[in-house]
Amino acid sequence: MNKFAYVDCKTVDETLAQLGPDATIKAGGIDLLDLMKDGIVAPPKLVNIRNVSSLRGITAAPDGLRIGPLSTLTEISVHPEVQLRYAALSDAAGHAATPQVRNMATLGGNIMQRPRCWYFRSTDFDCKKKGGTSQDCHAHEGENQYHAVINNGTCAMVHPSSTAVPLLAMNAEVELTSKRGKRTVPMSGFYVPPEKSLINETVVQPGEIITSIFVPAPEPGTRSAYQKYGEKESFDWPLADAGVVLVMAGQHCRQARVVLGVAAPTPMRATAAEAVLTGKTIDEATARAAAKAAMQEATPLSQNGYKTQLFQTAIYRTVLLAAGQMQRDPSAIG
Ligand SMILES: Cc1cc2nc3c(=O)[nH]c(=O)nc-3n(C[C@H](O)[C@H](O)[C@H](O)COP(=O)(O)OP(=O)(O)OC[C@H]3O[C@@H](n4cnc5c(N)ncnc54)[C@H](O)[C@@H]3O)c2cc1C
């Protein structure tokens, strides 16, 4: 690991004063320290924000939910209002990683964690995402069983944030603060696909810090669910995860938002699935049709074709769970 300076901040202003081209924010430190120990990043200065108390806390108001970026995944998953009105978010936070990780991992760090791809996360490969000279994505010809099945032409990494899935489905917004002031970015514009930039995965600029995440209040009749499927029952990243938000009138679906994690390099809306569900009665047949539609645009690689089937199962079951027609799937993990 490289030598680095370590600065402890207590306020947002102190943090902003420390941020510069050589500085990296540290929240729970789970992903950042992994990357440093593996030699993938070598920041000269770590700015620890864990003691910035104003960045903690979950506030439920009539207009929505305001979550401090230092709120841990555990705190989000057990919060009564999140469980009651934002079930998909509580489920996603509560089924990420392990209890130990969830106690340390913060929401800000979770949506900002770097992508999963063993070519990116190993110093043995000159992946173009790390500035390497290799023209093609190593996963195209190499080991690609965990990689993206959609939009994988430029780079086949996946972004593993479980919480980003419901946050995108719920139209959440991220507040960014810098010395220049504040700006708000919708989750739909937060992640940058590899065709736009291979280096930046989000729109967060150097000198900016996430100071709040806002989730608008669900309209009457809204129900939501999230499920994650993987190889191990715990201590594992998703192979397929889905978040579904339905605005229902009885069994009739007035509006649907279906979001897939780890299908593409960034969390993505499955608009074809949403079109199948909207205006229909939700039952097993519509859920299955939506799941199938979502995978029409898949372009699986040599070893990850199984993920398209896994996604269909994830979408089918999460739609039925959101509609109240199925219990949480016992084979879902976390
Ligand atoms: C075994 C294992 C399994 C896992 N499974 C899952 C899973 O199923 N789902 C899932 O989502 N994750 C999973 N993870 C990843 C884990 O949840 C993340 O590493 C963690 O959420 C990162 O949060 P952190 O607070 O530790 O972030 P840090 O490591 O401190 O930071 C991560 C990044 O975010 C930036 N950052 C942090 N806070 C801010 C802020 N307020 N403003 C701007 N930038 C900021 C940092 O600069 C850094 O670049 C798993 C991890 C392990 C070890």
Side-chain angles (χ1 to χ4, degrees):
M1 200 192 268
N2 64 300
K3 282 192 174 175
F4 55 88
Y6 188 87
V7 190
D8 225 351
C9 294
K10 298 233 165 16
T11 65
V12 171
D13 283 345
E14 265 178 47
T15 308
L16 294 177
Q18 290 295 337
L19 292 183
D22 61 339
T24 298
I25 292 170
K26 186 199 80 65
I30 291 168
D31 193 41
L32 180 60
L33 294 187
D34 258 5
L35 290 161
M36 289 173 70
K37 285 188 243 174
D38 289 345
I40 307 302
V41 299
K45 180 164 88 176
L46 290 196
V47 179
N48 180 33
I49 59 168
R50 287 201 77 216
N51 299 316
V52 181
S53 53
S54 66
L55 298 180
R56 294 192 175 278
I58 302 172
T59 314
D63 65 334
L65 194 65
R66 202 163 289 283
I67 310 177
L70 285 184
S71 305
T72 65
L73 300 187
T74 300
E75 287 164 353
I76 294 165
S77 70
V78 301
H79 193 281
E81 179 74 4
V82 184
Q83 288 179 339
L84 186 69
R85 301 185 74 203
Y86 307 85
L89 180 58
S90 146
D91 265 0
H95 291 91
T98 66
Q100 293 90 337
V101 171
R102 295 196 288 271
N103 287 341
M104 281 300 284
T106 67
L107 184 61
N110 187 264
I111 61 174
M112 287 292 289
Q113 63 181 298
R114 306 296 305 277
R116 304 305 307 178
C117 168
W118 37 43
Y119 298 110
F120 166 66
R121 284 180 178 257
S122 163
T123 48
D124 294 341
F125 296 92
D126 70 335
C127 159
K128 57 185 174 176
K129 196 170 159 45
K130 290 179 297 197
T133 52
S134 166
Q135 287 307 302
D136 195 17
C137 169
H138 290 297
H140 287 164
E141 295 299 324
E143 297 284 328
N144 51 40
Q145 52 268 47
Y146 300 146
H147 287 76
V149 289
I150 294 176
N151 192 25
N152 49 12
T154 305
C155 164
M157 67 181 188
V158 289
H159 198 285
S161 170
S162 300
T163 58
V165 172
L167 289 175
L168 176 56
M170 291 173 177
N171 283 324
E173 293 172 348
V174 181
E175 179 191 82
L176 298 171
T177 303
S178 70
K179 284 179 191 154
R180 295 179 302 282
K182 289 183 190 295
R183 65 181 178 123
T184 300
V185 178
M187 273 307 280
S188 56
F190 186 74
Y191 291 105
V192 177
E195 307 78 63
K196 286 208 175 144
S197 169
L198 268 173
I199 305 298
N200 299 320
E201 289 122 30
T202 71
V203 295
V204 179
Q205 297 294 312
E208 283 187 316
I209 176 171
I210 299 173
T211 40
S212 175
I213 292 115
F214 177 72
V215 191
E219 60 178 281
T222 300
R223 307 179 56 117
S224 70
Y226 166 89
Q227 291 193 115
K228 163 186 164 188
Y229 294 84
E231 278 182 339
K232 292 186 278 184
E233 288 199 350
S234 183
F235 202 84
D236 212 358
W237 281 269
L239 289 175
D241 56 344
V244 173
V245 177
L246 303 174
V247 183
M248 302 290 288
Q251 288 309 317
H252 180 81
C253 171
R254 291 201 293 113
Q255 242 183 68
R257 285 177 71 96
V258 178
V259 174
L260 310 180
V262 298
T266 60
M268 59 166 282
R269 276 180 67 188
T271 49
E274 294 171 0
V276 169
L277 297 171
T278 305
K280 306 271 176 39
T281 297
I282 301 297
D283 56 20
E284 289 187 11
T286 38
R288 194 165 284 119
K292 196 170 170 198
M295 285 297 117
Q296 292 299 312
E297 59 176 314
T299 52
L301 304 170
S302 57
Q303 296 162 39
N304 67 1
Y306 75 95
K307 280 184 65 167
T308 61
Q309 184 55 50
L310 198 55
F311 268 109
Q312 291 193 51
T313 304
I315 297 162
Y316 167 77
R317 292 182 181 171
T318 311
V319 167
L320 292 179
L321 179 63
Q325 296 180 25
M326 191 185 252
Q327 297 298 311
R328 191 167 198 285
D329 180 6
S331 63
I333 65 160

